[in-house]
Amino acid sequence: MATSIWSGPLLLCLPPKDFERTRALPTCRDMLIETRTPRYARLMVAVALSALVSGCQILNPSDVRESGFQPSNNPVTVDNVTRNDKLAEIAKAQHPRILATYGGEYSDPKLERMVAKVVGSLTTVSSNPNQTYRITILNSPNVNAFALPGGYLYVTRGLLALANDSAELAAVISHEMGHVTANHGIQRQQKEAEEVLATKVVTDVLGESPTAKAALIRGKLRLAQFSRNQELEADGIGIKMSGQAGYDPFAAGRFLQSMAAYSDLRAVSGATDASLDFLASHPNAPQRIDLAQRHARQFGAPGIGRRDRDSFLAGIDGLLFGDTPDEGYVRGTTFMHPKLGISFAVPQGFVIDNTAAAVTATGPDNTAIRFDGVAIDAKLPLTDYVKSGWVAGLDPSSVRADTINGNEAAFARASAEGWQFDIVVIRNGAQVYRLLTAAPTASTALDQIARSVSSSFRVMTAAEKADLKPLRIRVVTVQPGQNMGSLAASMVGVDRKLDLFRVLNALAPGASVSAGDKVKIVTDR
């Protein structure tokens, strides 16, 4: 949860075509909840919490000016973007929104040089030698890379943390360069315009008839197939480019497998907004991995090409992993925000998801918690704020004033659409925070869960804030006597340590490490 603007622009999908759906201040209805429960249950919990809030005010201490998100004056580039390039101008206009969505640029000269070296190698074999590229590393833990028309390329620090060598990074970047050289962005805009027109014609002529619905479905399928074909074409172009540049062409299939394993891990453990990940906009399937390997075999058998593993690992050593200090940290079942100076905990069995708009947590039996901030008049009593109309189904008789660990607070209950809610509003200095807990009407656990969470809210000490450090990727050399279990156990601030260690180092079940190997761990040191 960010301090400068708690609800920065969010995208539900990744391609540039969806940017028009961004909003400066998403409401509570934009909330996405990740949990171990089935998709239907996750949806019902999200609906429940959005049913409670009829209109959210989001804390916005300072206005965000778009001028603050202009392209860097000193970005990682292979060459300057071609002047007077209309496609580049279109991309430049979208650049601020991308930066706002993905936490801005991530600055690390050592990392930037490593990435620029890979991009530079790929440009020497590009099918369009006149195309120049601008690469931006995004300060986001999500695993993603994408391109805009005109040669704007983006890769997140989350993706760099997952990759294991330069060849894998080259495979991702060359795939995105393939979209640029094949003009996929422009082609998709044209195709979508055609489908919008066709939809209007069908609706105007056929109305809501079964024939009309069938026609609209066919149109959507054509567009989906068109997008899928673009991805496969970019795969082919990218593997050819990376292979011609001398990189291991089998890296593409290898990294697709790593991303699939990462996605599976997130699905179980809970994570940040998965809609911002590569696989949300890049379809992944065993057949696609097989096709990537077949493209690679055109260069020869596995083992050809360079990986540049040592230089890649040197580049990512010290890379920020997970949340930034501006967003606060999740450590197991506790959320701590050193800049705001506050902390709270959720019960065991709950999974916390820290997003730009709010901190959410989901637990057993479809229970859910949401924590966010609001800006209200400092003179307004919290009980009056609770009654001001933003809570649907409020029980007015339940509203009461109290304190939580020395902080002014107000408590209330509400019910709506088969759900019951506990509402807690807490004032700390000039800031006001809200804790909303939801459970099905039949649940008897709401009060116990809500009191456990609200009573854990507290102000952090100066020593606690100073001791709280961000997590980073550290590259270590395996010592004699160490194994995957002991290396995973040395990681801090993460759950499912052994599983995460395997995914970060692309180690299949049954694999082992040997003395002298270089591996990645997550630590705050």
Side-chain angles (χ1 to χ4, degrees):
M1 188 169 63
T3 54
S4 59
I5 177 167
W6 284 24
S7 57
L10 298 178
L11 298 183
L12 298 182
C13 298
L14 291 176
K17 69 183 182 65
D18 290 316
F19 278 15
E20 66 272 15
R21 298 199 307 201
T22 62
R23 287 175 288 186
L25 295 174
T27 69
C28 291
R29 289 177 173 80
D30 298 310
M31 183 180 63
L32 299 177
I33 293 180
E34 294 295 328
T35 178
R36 291 189 177 96
T37 55
R39 177 183 291 270
Y40 176 74
R42 294 203 300 269
L43 176 62
M44 291 308 296
V45 175
V47 169
L49 280 172
S50 61
L52 169 70
V53 183
S54 58
C56 286
Q57 293 174 284
I58 304 300
L59 181 64
N60 184 11
S62 60
D63 291 334
V64 173
R65 298 180 180 178
E66 202 160 277
S67 60
F69 294 110
Q70 292 303 312
S72 170
N73 293 326
N74 187 29
V76 181
T77 59
V78 175
D79 196 358
N80 292 328
V81 176
T82 305
R83 293 185 178 182
N84 301 320
D85 185 336
K86 292 183 178 180
L87 296 181
E89 289 302 314
I90 294 173
K92 184 178 180 180
Q94 299 295 349
H95 187 78
R97 296 185 181 183
I98 292 178
L99 291 182
T101 301
Y102 286 88
E105 290 186 45
Y106 183 77
S107 179
D108 180 341
K110 173 170 61 72
L111 183 67
E112 292 167 356
R113 286 193 295 271
M114 184 272 290
V115 174
K117 177 183 175 183
V118 173
V119 176
S121 296
L122 294 171
T123 57
T124 62
V125 295
S126 172
S127 60
N128 182 1
N130 295 321
Q131 175 67 62
T132 56
Y133 294 94
R134 176 187 186 126
I135 181 77
T136 300
I137 302 173
L138 298 170
N139 188 18
S140 170
N142 294 86
V143 175
N144 206 356
F146 47 94
L148 295 183
Y152 275 60
L153 304 176
Y154 300 86
V155 59
T156 62
R157 60 174 170 83
L159 186 143
L160 295 173
L162 184 62
N164 273 282
D165 55 47
S166 296
E168 291 182 358
L169 177 59
V172 172
I173 293 177
S174 61
H175 170 97
E176 300 306 331
M177 293 171 73
H179 282 305
V180 174
T181 58
N183 290 320
H184 283 164
I186 300 301
Q187 291 177 9
R188 184 171 178 86
Q189 289 177 2
Q190 294 172 341
K191 190 71 173 180
E192 286 178 333
E194 293 172 2
E195 292 300 336
V196 168
L197 179 60
T199 297
K200 186 177 187 305
V201 171
V202 168
T203 302
D204 290 346
V205 175
L206 299 178
E208 297 296 323
S209 70
T211 303
K213 292 180 180 179
L216 295 178
I217 291 173
R218 283 195 298 271
K220 292 180 179 179
L221 290 175
R222 284 196 301 269
L223 189 58
Q225 182 65 29
F226 177 76
S227 178
R228 180 177 181 275
N229 288 341
Q230 284 188 329
E231 295 302 330
L232 295 177
E233 183 181 3
D235 280 347
I237 295 172
I239 293 170
K240 181 179 179 180
M241 286 178 61
S242 60
Q244 289 177 338
Y247 289 110
D248 174 13
F250 290 88
R254 195 165 61 244
F255 194 58
L256 282 171
Q257 291 173 329
S258 288
M259 285 192 291
Y262 162 82
S263 180
D264 291 343
L265 180 67
R266 286 168 59 100
V268 174
S269 62
T272 51
D273 186 358
S275 70
L276 297 180
D277 283 337
F278 187 90
L279 296 182
S281 61
H282 296 68
N284 187 39
Q287 294 87 348
R288 186 180 179 196
I289 295 174
D290 179 68
L291 183 60
Q293 291 172 336
R294 280 192 279 152
H295 279 301
R297 289 191 189 100
Q298 296 179 10
F299 288 88
I304 63 172
R306 70 181 188 276
R307 293 192 178 186
D308 282 348
R309 177 173 166 80
D310 286 347
S311 63
F312 177 84
L313 293 179
I316 67 168
D317 188 28
L319 176 68
L320 188 66
F321 184 84
D323 299 325
T324 68
D326 288 335
E327 297 166 341
Y329 302 120
V330 176
R331 297 290 188 267
T333 57
T334 301
F335 174 77
M336 296 171 284
H337 203 304
K339 290 199 172 183
L340 296 175
I342 55 95
S343 171
F344 71 90
V346 299
Q348 291 295 326
F350 277 72
V351 175
I352 300 177
D353 183 13
N354 183 19
T355 72
V359 180
T360 62
T362 51
D365 302 321
N366 293 339
T367 52
I369 299 161
R370 176 186 171 98
F371 175 83
D372 65 7
V374 292
I376 67 174
D377 190 327
K379 298 179 181 179
L380 179 67
L382 294 182
T383 51
D384 289 351
Y385 169 66
V386 172
K387 298 176 182 178
S388 64
W390 61 275
V391 178
L394 177 70
D395 177 5
S397 66
S398 69
V399 181
R400 62 183 177 88
D402 206 333
T403 60
I404 296 176
N405 295 323
N407 296 283
E408 178 189 353
F411 295 75
R413 298 296 285 264
S415 59
E417 301 180 15
W419 296 86
Q420 54 179 328
F421 306 93
D422 185 275
I423 302 102
V424 181
V425 181
I426 309 166
R427 179 174 272 140
N428 175 240
Q431 307 297 335
V432 174
Y433 304 102
R434 301 185 301 189
L435 274 168
L436 312 178
T437 306
T441 301
S443 173
T444 60
L446 177 63
D447 189 65
Q448 178 183 358
I449 293 171
R451 295 292 71 79
S452 170
V453 177
S454 62
S455 64
S456 72
F457 179 91
R458 64 183 181 85
V459 176
M460 299 174 64
T461 67
E464 287 176 324
K465 290 187 287 186
D467 289 342
L468 192 57
K469 306 296 184 187
L471 300 180
R472 296 186 182 277
I473 292 288
R474 291 296 181 189
V475 177
V476 299
T477 301
V478 179
Q479 301 300 312
Q482 288 185 314
N483 55 37
M484 285 196 294
S486 61
L487 289 164
S490 70
M491 300 202 300
V492 300
V494 294
D495 295 323
R496 301 188 65 195
K497 295 181 179 181
L498 182 57
D499 291 333
L500 179 60
F501 180 83
R502 288 182 183 276
V503 170
L504 285 177
N505 292 285
L507 295 169
S512 61
V513 294
S514 303
D517 290 347
K518 291 183 178 180
V519 295
K520 296 178 286 183
I521 63 170
V522 177
T523 180
D524 59 359
R525 295 185 293 276

